[in-house]
Amino acid sequence: MIKPKPEHYQVIIIGGGPIGLACALEAKRSRLSYVVLEKGCLVNSLYNYPTNMTFFSTSERLEIGNVPFVSNNAKPTRAEALEYYRRVTVSNEINLKLFEEVLAVKKQDVNFTVRTAMTNYTANNIIIATGFYDIPYRLNVEGEDLPKVTHYYKDPHFYAFQHVAIIGAQNSAVDAALETWRKGAIVTMVVRQPEIGKRVKYWVRPDIINRIKEGSIKAYFESTVAAIREHEMEIQTPDGMITIPNDRVIAMTGYEPNLSFLKKTGIRLSKAPVRKPEYNEKTQETNIEGIYLAGVICGGMDTHSLFIENSRIHAKRIMAHIRRREK
């Protein structure tokens, strides 16, 4: 039996987040055949944000493809962002395949073969826009794999009336601490740094500092988790090891990009700790001709330098370069 030829596109976009969608909109405007391959749901990273999250950015800074984003408030919510990106996808009929993880990209002659969990494709050009929200930094302590430990926080109600430990001191950790406390949880924060993170949203930071000062939320600074057990947790503090009662652990320790996928694809990474991938900042093209990077993935381990608002330009740069090559 003769196998059917794989579907071929001028552009395959790996990652269905906001920047992947922005690349799709530019590909469509450029009259290039394309498909977006996403291993999860639409804008999977945003979906995994806390249910009640409010963005730091204003809605116009989250817009893609010159499609207006109208919010009810100065700072849009997660729900509004999900609705916006759904509407962008539907109204522009973006060619999108969800829950189809890309396993490998290989160059064969002038084209690329893309192998997914479901099938194979071929393409002239590849854009990798995979973000960084899929691989959490692990605590690497005893008990981290217990069912009560999570690296993703969604909704506070689940934690009501339980002893909850929040690991971290940036936006996600602070939101989780305040929301779960307000739903009746007994909250303890374990913070490696000497204070709450400076990048915490300016309207939230005073709230968490005041809750800690008044004793409503207990915080151990310059401290680390030593061990997690079924009903308790050990914390290494400046004053020595302590044991506290514990029912749930929310480890908001941050996330890292899938740099191993880039390396496996043949993209060179810097030897510095940031492990920044090699690409031309004028075109976004990597050391492999025809493979481009867009969005947060461009920063390597420096995941705080690139956001939706300053990565949208990547889509225009890439498509301008591809158009010149496709002529």
Side-chain angles (χ1 to χ4, degrees), residues 155-217:
D155 182 81
H157 172 80
F158 178 83
Y159 299 95
F161 317 126
Q162 300 178 77
H163 288 88
V164 178
I166 311 289
I167 318 302
Q170 298 301 333
N171 279 299
S172 296
V174 169
D175 285 346
L178 288 170
E179 289 184 8
T180 54
W181 170 71
R182 290 198 162 99
K183 297 300 185 213
I186 302 95
V187 175
T188 300
M189 297 185 74
V190 182
V191 182
R192 187 182 294 271
Q193 296 80 21
E195 62 179 342
I196 295 297
K198 297 288 189 182
R199 291 196 307 271
V200 172
K201 291 170 281 195
Y202 65 84
W203 65 92
V204 174
R205 196 168 188 270
D207 190 2
I208 187 66
I209 289 173
N210 288 331
R211 301 295 74 75
I212 292 170
K213 279 183 178 178
E214 71 187 17
S216 298
I217 292 174

Side-chain angles (χ1 to χ4, degrees), residues 121-140:
Y121 303 89
T122 59
N124 300 7
N125 303 279
I126 304 292
I127 301 173
I128 300 175
T130 47
F132 76 102
Y133 205 67
D134 292 323
I135 307 172
Y137 288 118
R138 289 180 60 82
L139 298 169
N140 294 318

Side-chain angles (χ1 to χ4, degrees), residues 99-144:
F99 302 100
E100 188 166 348
E101 182 178 5
V102 173
L103 303 176
V105 174
K106 290 188 178 179
K107 192 157 192 176
Q108 295 183 330
D109 299 323
V110 295
N111 292 330
F112 295 94
T113 296
V114 176
R115 180 168 61 87
T116 76
M118 298 182 182
T119 188
N120 291 338
Y121 303 89
T122 59
N124 300 7
N125 303 279
I126 304 292
I127 301 173
I128 300 175
T130 47
F132 76 102
Y133 205 67
D134 292 323
I135 307 172
Y137 288 118
R138 289 180 60 82
L139 298 169
N140 294 318
V141 299
E142 174 195 340
E144 183 172 9

Side-chain angles (χ1 to χ4, degrees), residues 200-261:
V200 172
K201 291 170 281 195
Y202 65 84
W203 65 92
V204 174
R205 196 168 188 270
D207 190 2
I208 187 66
I209 289 173
N210 288 331
R211 301 295 74 75
I212 292 170
K213 279 183 178 178
E214 71 187 17
S216 298
I217 292 174
K218 179 67 178 176
Y220 292 98
F221 293 101
E222 298 182 273
S223 301
T224 56
V225 176
I228 302 167
R229 300 192 180 89
E230 198 66 45
H231 300 293
E232 63 184 22
M233 169 189 283
E234 289 187 358
I235 304 171
Q236 182 65 57
T237 76
D239 298 322
M241 190 77 72
I242 65 166
T243 301
I244 63 169
N246 175 254
D247 302 307
R248 301 285 173 182
V249 178
I250 305 174
M252 298 284 92
T253 48
Y255 308 89
E256 60 181 305
N258 191 352
L259 296 179
S260 62
F261 175 76

Side-chain angles (χ1 to χ4, degrees), residues 49-70:
Y49 284 178
T51 303
N52 301 321
M53 197 206 81
T54 299
F55 281 87
F56 188 90
S57 299
T58 55
S59 56
E60 63 268 20
R61 300 185 72 186
L62 300 179
E63 292 174 357
I64 57 173
N66 298 318
V67 180
F69 181 177
V70 179

